Amino acid sequence: MTAASKQPSWAASYLSRPSTVVGPARRKRLIALFALLPALVIFCAFWLLPFSRLILIGAEADRSSGISAYLTILTHRQYLISLATTVGLSLVVSLVAVAIAGVAGFFLARQRFFGKSILVAILTFPLAFPGVVVGFLVIMLGGRQGALAQTSLWLFGERWMFAYSLAGLFIGYLYFSIPRVITTVMAACDNLDQSLEEAARSLGANTWQVTKDVIIPGIAPALLSTGAICFATSMGAFGTAFTLGTRLSILPLNIYGEFTNYANFAMAAALSVVLGVITWMALSLARRLAGGNLGASV
């Protein structure tokens, strides 16, 4: 009788154990691959391939300058101003939206009063509006026939308008950014451990110290993530800007103009790539600062 035949039954089962483990693990990997396959196909078909094509087209010669469109953006004043205006406007909108809606979201999360649900519904209602409708609302407020113009004409004999300028665009972007911040901050405050606030107060901390040392650090990931989302949304918003006027010097309108008015496909592609890269960098930075919680409620 050989040594192998002398092995008990439990030893034989133990030796055959790897084959029974590898099978299910391999099946799980195959199932995961099949589950990810539709998303990968859509990602490649509607993002990776078109964006790769945009990068290549942007490297071609610009129709006006005769050099690469990327170099044209970096060397021509009009494109640099448009880039700086778009980034600056989006950054200001994000900061103001986080400052205003952050306070409102914290108040709504902590207070209970009659009509709260209605107030929250009203404050978040702009999420249902497309950009064109938001632009039209800004015109109704600050356009030539808007409420502000009619009131100033009646009081002072002249029309005050802001709709067809960066100020009107700022109001429009802020209008659809505030609801995003409010909903995220409310969710983050609901999950905030209030025992930490009580402990800080028991140690003698005042309201400002509790806010600065406990509340703000606790909801900081939510503030960073929602601020980044507001920035990305403002960078690429087109409907509101197009409604308020195509003469505004911002990247989405420049891309539209280069593509439709001048058939300058290289410049339109290069501007699209620059806009996408800046937005991606902002989202990546916010995700890193927020500890990977970008888009999460806490």
Side-chain angles (χ1 to χ4, degrees):
M1 182 179 293
T2 62
S5 61
K6 293 181 180 179
Q7 291 178 345
S9 59
W10 64 267
S13 62
Y14 180 81
L15 292 176
S16 62
R17 187 177 179 181
S19 61
T20 61
V21 174
V22 172
R26 186 174 300 174
R27 283 195 297 269
K28 289 181 179 180
R29 287 195 294 268
L30 290 175
I31 292 174
L33 180 61
F34 282 116
L36 291 175
L37 187 60
L40 291 175
V41 170
I42 294 175
F43 174 79
C44 293
F46 295 97
W47 188 88
L48 185 60
L49 294 178
F51 195 75
S52 301
R53 180 60 177 163
L54 279 179
I55 295 175
L56 296 176
I57 295 176
E60 298 177 358
D62 175 53
R63 293 188 61 180
S64 59
S65 63
I67 60 176
S68 172
Y70 296 118
L71 294 177
T72 304
I73 295 174
L74 297 176
T75 55
H76 281 61
R77 184 171 179 268
Q78 67 182 74
Y79 298 116
L80 291 176
I81 292 177
S82 175
L83 178 60
T85 301
T86 306
V87 173
L89 178 63
S90 301
L91 184 61
V92 172
V93 168
S94 302
L95 294 176
V96 175
V98 169
I100 294 176
V103 176
F106 178 79
F107 173 81
L108 291 172
R110 291 298 177 86
Q111 302 298 322
R112 300 291 183 269
F113 53 89
F114 178 76
K116 174 185 173 180
S117 58
I118 298 177
L119 179 60
V120 172
I122 293 174
L123 291 175
T124 57
F125 189 65
L127 289 174
F129 289 159
V132 175
V133 176
V134 173
F136 186 70
L137 293 177
V138 174
I139 292 175
M140 292 294 97
L141 176 63
R144 182 172 179 80
Q145 302 297 328
L148 179 61
Q150 296 297 326
T151 303
S152 62
L153 181 63
W154 179 65
L155 293 176
F156 306 104
E158 59 181 4
R159 298 179 186 271
W160 295 352
M161 297 178 295
F162 63 83
Y164 310 104
S165 64
L166 287 178
L169 197 58
F170 169 80
I171 296 297
Y173 285 177
L174 185 64
Y175 179 74
F176 62 67
S177 295
I178 284 179
R180 292 177 170 85
V181 182
I182 288 180
T183 54
T184 305
V185 171
M186 288 182 64
C189 290
D190 289 338
N191 294 324
L192 192 63
D193 189 1
Q194 298 189 26
S195 63
L196 298 177
E197 302 175 40
E198 297 173 358
R201 291 191 178 92
S202 65
L203 294 174
N206 55 33
T207 302
W208 166 246
Q209 290 173 330
V210 172
T211 303
K212 178 175 65 71
D213 298 330
V214 179
I215 296 176
I216 293 180
I219 64 174
L223 296 177
L224 287 171
S225 64
T226 193
I229 292 174
C230 291
F231 178 84
T233 304
S234 300
M235 283 287 295
F238 174 77
T240 303
F242 186 78
T243 305
L244 297 178
T246 57
R247 294 185 178 181
L248 296 173
S249 182
I250 59 173
L251 285 183
L253 293 183
N254 286 346
I255 294 171
Y256 174 81
E258 296 289 345
F259 182 78
T260 59
N261 298 334
Y262 308 110
N264 192 357
F265 303 125
M267 180 54 65
L271 290 174
S272 300
V273 172
V274 170
L275 189 150
V277 169
I278 293 175
T279 304
W280 174 81
M281 290 174 60
L283 293 173
S284 299
L285 178 61
R287 180 182 293 275
R288 182 180 296 272
L289 294 176
N293 290 325
L294 186 58
S297 59
V298 292

